[in-house]
Amino acid sequence: MLSRKARCNCHGQDTSYFLGWQEYEKNPYDHVLNPSGIIQMGLAENQLSFDIIESWLARNQEATGFHKNGKSMFRELALFQDYRGLPAFKNQAQPSANEILMFCLAEPGEAFLIPTPYYPGFDRDLKWRTGVEIIPIHCSSSNGFRITKFALEQAYEQAQQLNLTVKGVLVTNPSNPLGTTMTRAEFNHLINFAIAKQIHIVSDEIYSGTVFDSPSFISITQAVLEKNLKNTEFWNQFHIVYSLSKDLGLPGFRVGLIYSNNEKILSAATKMSSFGLVSSQTQYLLSNLLGDKKFAKNYIRVNKERIRERKEMLVKGLLGVGIKCLESNSGLFCWVDMRRLLRAYTFEAEKELWEKLLFEVGVNVSPGYSCHCAEPGWFRICFGNMSKEALNVAMERVKKFVGSTESAHGHDHTQSIPRSRIRQFSKWIFQLSPYGREEER
C-alpha cells in the first residue's frame, strides 16, 4: 500500500500547463533541424541577457574557477558547510523557498487566499507537500483583474463556508500571468484586509527586476511603511519571497529567498532550508556576481530594455491579427485575450482552442483555466525564452490560424463575465478533495 501522498492526484503534473511542456519536449521547434516543431511559449524563462552574464564570467576567472586572491577555494567549498549559508552569500541573499513559508505559516488543511489568475505551479509548490489549501480570489477583466475589497471578502467567505481557517493571502507582484504591478489602492485593500482578519501576507516579488515601464514597482515593504505600520503587530505579518530565476534568468541554480521581520519565521525557515540547500559552489559564484555592483546596475538596465522590446514584438504581432493583450509593464509574458476565437463562452471551448494551438498551430501557450481564471478565453503567452526569429515564426503561424478560424465562425465573447457566473465557473475549476484540493482542468 502506498501513502496518501503517493496516491494523491493533486500535484498538477497532469494539467494542461505541464502537458503542453511534455508535447513540446517530444517535438521541439528548431529553425534548421525541426522547422515544423512546437514553439515553446508556455515557459517564463529569461534568456534575453545571458550574453551579459557570460561576459562577466569570462572576465572573472577567479570566481568561475573557485579561486580567491590567487588561491584555490575548492577544498573549502567542497567540505561541509553550515546550512545557514556562506557568510559572503548571505550578505547578498538569504537562501530559502516559497514552500517553506507555507510550512511556517499554516497547518495542513488551513488555507491561503490567492488572486486569480495565478501561476499554475502554485498548486504544486504551495500545497502538494504542505497540505495547505488554496482559495481563489476571483478577479475580473472588467477592471484589469485588479484586487478589490469585494473579491477579498468573497474569498474569505468561501473559505468559511468550507470550514477552512484562513492564515494569509499570497500575491505575486509583479503578477504572473498578468505582467502588471500592484497599485497603492490594491495594497490598501490587501493590508487593511489582512489587519482586520489578523492574517499574514506573502508577497512573491520574483519578477520585480523586470518592470520596464510605468507605473513603477512598489514592494509591499514600501506600502507598509507608507501606512506607518512599522511599530505595529503587522510588521511581523508580511513576508517577501524572491528568487534569481526570472530577473537574472538562473532557474537552474535553484536559489530562493525569504525576507521577513518575523524572527521566529526566519529561524524555522533556516532550519527547514537544510532539506534543500544551495550548493556552496553556487553560493560562492553568485556572491561574487551579485557583489559586482557595476555589473548588476548595467544588467538590470539592459535586461529591462530587452524585455520591453520583445514584449512589444509580441503585442504588435498579435494586434496585427486583432488579438489584444492586457496592458502590462513587467514580466516575461503577456495575458492575451482570445475570447473572440472561442466557439462558445465555456472552458470546454477554451480547452479546445488550446489543443488546436498546440497540435495544429504548433505553439504551446498556457490556457487561462490552468491559471484558475474565472473567465474563459484568456491565455498566458511567454516571449523571453526564444529568439526573435522563433517569435516571428510563431506570429506567422497564429496569423494563419486566426484567419482560418474567423472564416469558420465569427463569435465575439469579449464581454466581461458577471459576478454570478464567476461563482458558477469557480465551481467548475475548484473542488474540495479528501486531501488538498484537486482542480478540474
Side-chain angles (χ1 to χ4, degrees), residues 127-351:
K127 58 181 274 188
W128 188 59
R129 294 200 300 181
T130 66
V132 171
E133 303 292 346
I134 294 177
I135 301 292
I137 303 170
H138 285 300
C139 301
S140 169
S141 64
S142 62
N143 69 344
F145 297 98
R146 293 295 181 182
I147 300 170
T148 64
K149 181 179 179 181
F150 176 84
L152 288 165
E153 294 290 350
Q154 187 182 50
Y156 192 84
E157 180 182 343
Q158 183 178 14
Q160 288 184 315
Q161 292 174 353
L162 293 168
N163 294 318
L164 295 174
T165 299
V166 176
K167 298 304 294 287
V169 181
L170 185 145
V171 295
T172 56
N173 179 38
S175 168
N176 176 8
L178 300 178
T180 57
T181 48
M182 287 184 63
T183 64
R184 281 184 169 81
E186 288 180 288
F187 273 121
N188 284 333
H189 292 317
L190 180 61
I191 294 171
N192 292 339
F193 175 80
I195 292 174
K197 305 300 184 184
Q198 296 184 318
I199 59 177
H200 296 265
I201 297 177
V202 176
S203 181
D204 186 335
E205 301 182 359
I206 190 174
Y207 289 97
S208 56
T210 69
V211 181
F212 53 80
D213 205 348
S214 60
S216 60
F217 171 73
I218 303 172
S219 172
I220 189 172
T221 301
Q222 180 181 346
V224 171
L225 289 172
E226 289 178 355
K227 292 177 71 68
N228 298 315
L229 296 173
K230 184 173 183 178
N231 296 319
T232 68
E233 184 178 350
F234 184 70
W235 188 247
N236 291 318
Q237 291 174 214
F238 75 92
H239 323 280
I240 297 173
V241 174
Y242 186 68
S243 167
L244 303 181
S245 298
K246 306 304 179 181
D247 294 345
L248 208 57
L250 301 175
F253 279 36
R254 317 307 298 168
V255 177
L257 308 89
I258 290 175
Y259 297 90
S260 177
N261 302 307
N262 193 312
E263 292 297 332
K264 290 184 178 180
I265 286 179
L266 290 178
S267 176
T270 300
K271 295 170 185 174
M272 288 186 180
S273 69
S274 64
F275 297 103
L277 296 175
V278 179
S279 74
S280 299
Q281 293 82 2
T282 298
Q283 292 185 58
Y284 180 75
L285 177 60
L286 291 177
S287 64
N288 282 272
L289 181 71
L290 298 176
D292 187 337
K293 303 305 180 185
K294 183 178 179 180
F295 158 81
K297 184 178 181 179
N298 178 67
Y299 177 90
I300 292 172
R301 178 184 60 82
V302 176
N303 188 54
K304 288 182 178 183
E305 292 174 355
R306 293 178 179 181
I307 292 174
R308 180 207 295 269
E309 178 188 10
R310 197 61 59 87
K311 179 249 185 178
E312 290 175 350
M313 281 185 61
L314 175 62
V315 171
K316 182 179 180 181
L318 292 173
L319 196 58
V321 292
I323 298 175
K324 296 181 179 180
C325 301
L326 183 73
E327 187 173 348
S328 61
N329 66 334
S330 54
L332 302 168
F333 33 73
C334 286
W335 189 236
V336 181
D337 184 358
M338 292 190 175
R339 288 176 289 182
R340 57 195 286 259
L341 299 180
L342 299 179
R343 62 166 179 78
Y345 195 46
T346 65
F347 285 107
E348 288 82 0
E350 179 183 283
K351 185 177 181 180

Side-chain angles (χ1 to χ4, degrees), residues 62-76:
E62 276 211 341
T64 57
F66 305 120
H67 283 73
K68 184 177 181 180
N69 298 325
K71 295 183 179 180
S72 174
M73 295 285 292
F74 177 80
R75 180 174 298 188
E76 181 178 343

